Amino acid sequence: MEQPILEVEHLKKSYVSGTYVLEDISFSINKGEVVVIVGPSGCGKSTFLRCLNRLEEIDSGVLKLNGVSYEKEKKNISKVREKIGMVFQSYDLFPNMTIMNNLLLAPAKVQKKKKEEVRVEAERLLDRVGLLEKKDNYPRQLSGGQKQRVAIVRALLMHPEILLLDEITAALDPEMVREVLQVVLELAKTGMTMLIVTHEMEFARSVADRIIFMDKGYIVEENSPQEFFDHPQTDRAKQFLDSFHYEAVRK
């Protein structure tokens, strides 16, 4: 049986108040799998993603990447972060730099890659997401959807083994949502391993290999998209889904 690329065992996370945001989370994802996390606001979804690349310290539990515990990489946690890319709600592009220079920065400084090599790959990826002609523009000249696509390209340039996507359409106008989600759907077809937090239920059903439903810091339900959306197993999941109007888009 294939070893999961990422494993989480009994993860707990609390804040200063002593209230646990995450309660005994155990989870794994296989190479090439797309897992979508859904649940009400404040249930711990985004905190969970941030724990996975150690933007948040955990209280207890074990996290393993390719079978190796994060604790063994504690002195070099930046290497773990390089393998687990993350795209946030906010694009976090440097406003005083062109799109191309935003893309060149991390691979050149962090991974010490030659700028010209990165530039070639950046142009290829920008072309893939329909933004090659914007490479010399500044972020202020782009729409929200375009900036989010650039943020995805920036993450891909680091060649992560897993890509974490945290509500990447939450700050977008409705007409811009589709262009960003289409990029993610295309990534899924290439075999990119992704863990996605979203409130877009149609998109979740279309892209996911597996759905995880979280509530109050727990994984309440875990199932295939078809079973989760058509036959939820828990009353809490049924209540959550009743608050959405969605169409079956997964064939």
Side-chain angles (χ1 to χ4, degrees):
M1 187 175 179
E2 183 184 6
Q3 181 186 52
I5 188 171
L6 179 68
E7 300 169 86
V8 178
E9 300 172 1
H10 306 295
L11 184 151
K12 289 190 176 185
K13 168 67 181 176
S14 66
Y15 288 120
V16 179
S17 64
T19 302
Y20 276 98
V21 181
L22 299 173
E23 294 262 17
D24 198 20
I25 299 289
S26 292
F27 162 86
S28 65
I29 184 170
N30 295 319
K31 184 176 177 60
E33 190 178 18
V34 178
V35 176
V36 175
I37 302 176
V38 300
S41 297
C43 72
K45 304 185 299 293
S46 294
T47 299
F48 179 51
L49 290 195
R50 292 174 66 85
C51 287
L52 294 182
N53 66 356
R54 295 309 288 265
L55 290 175
E56 296 276 0
E57 291 294 326
I58 65 173
D59 290 3
S60 62
V62 177
L63 290 84
K64 297 179 183 177
L65 183 64
N66 293 317
V68 179
S69 171
Y70 283 26
E71 287 302 307
K72 291 185 178 180
E73 299 285 356
K74 196 169 185 179
K75 293 181 179 178
N76 201 13
I77 198 67
S78 61
K79 290 297 182 182
V80 172
R81 291 198 183 107
E82 285 181 33
K83 296 175 183 178
I84 304 178
M86 189 159 183
V87 183
F88 301 88
Q89 291 182 32
S90 55
Y91 330 111
D92 294 328
L93 301 175
F94 292 103
N96 61 328
M97 299 172 65
T98 64
I99 295 308
M100 181 55 71
N101 285 337
N102 265 281
L103 296 177
L104 294 177
L105 186 62
K109 281 194 174 279
V110 177
Q111 296 181 331
K112 308 301 181 184
K113 293 182 178 178
K114 294 180 180 179
K115 281 190 176 182
E116 287 311 307
E117 292 179 2
V118 180
R119 190 185 304 275
V120 170
E121 185 178 11
E123 288 182 349
R124 178 179 62 80
L125 289 171
L126 284 174
D127 188 42
R128 183 171 158 189
V129 301
L131 291 175
L132 182 57
E133 74 282 1
K134 302 291 185 182
K135 66 180 182 179
D136 295 320
N137 287 31
Y138 288 86
R140 65 178 179 274
Q141 297 173 295
L142 273 59
S143 70
Q146 290 171 333
K147 284 185 276 193
Q148 195 60 284
R149 280 183 278 163
V150 170
I152 292 172
V153 169
R154 180 179 56 188
L156 292 175
L157 281 169
M158 299 296 285
H159 294 278
E161 296 186 35
I162 304 171
L163 192 58
L164 311 179
L165 304 170
D166 185 19
E167 293 284 15
I168 58 172
T169 60
L172 301 181
D173 293 332
E175 63 267 25
M176 297 177 184
V177 169
R178 189 174 186 84
E179 65 188 43
V180 174
L181 297 186
Q182 188 59 44
V183 170
V184 180
L185 285 166
E186 291 300 321
L187 282 176
K189 292 177 184 177
T190 69
M192 170 63 72
T193 308
M194 291 186 282
L195 184 57
I196 304 170
V197 167
T198 185
H199 278 106
E200 300 285 341
M201 293 298 107
E202 292 181 26
F203 168 66
R205 184 164 185 153
S206 297
V207 75
D209 296 308
R210 180 163 41 113
I211 298 285
I212 286 177
F213 173 62
M214 289 183 65
D215 188 35
K216 297 180 180 178
Y218 290 94
I219 292 177
V220 176
E221 190 165 332
E222 186 173 353
N223 218 326
S224 68
Q226 182 176 354
E227 286 301 309
F228 177 76
F229 286 104
D230 295 343
H231 308 288
Q233 300 299 303
T234 63
D235 289 339
R236 184 64 188 95
K238 292 174 186 176
Q239 182 185 25
F240 175 77
L241 291 172
D242 282 345
S243 65
F244 290 92
H245 298 286
Y246 60 89
E247 298 176 0
V249 294
R250 188 180 179 96
K251 303 300 182 184

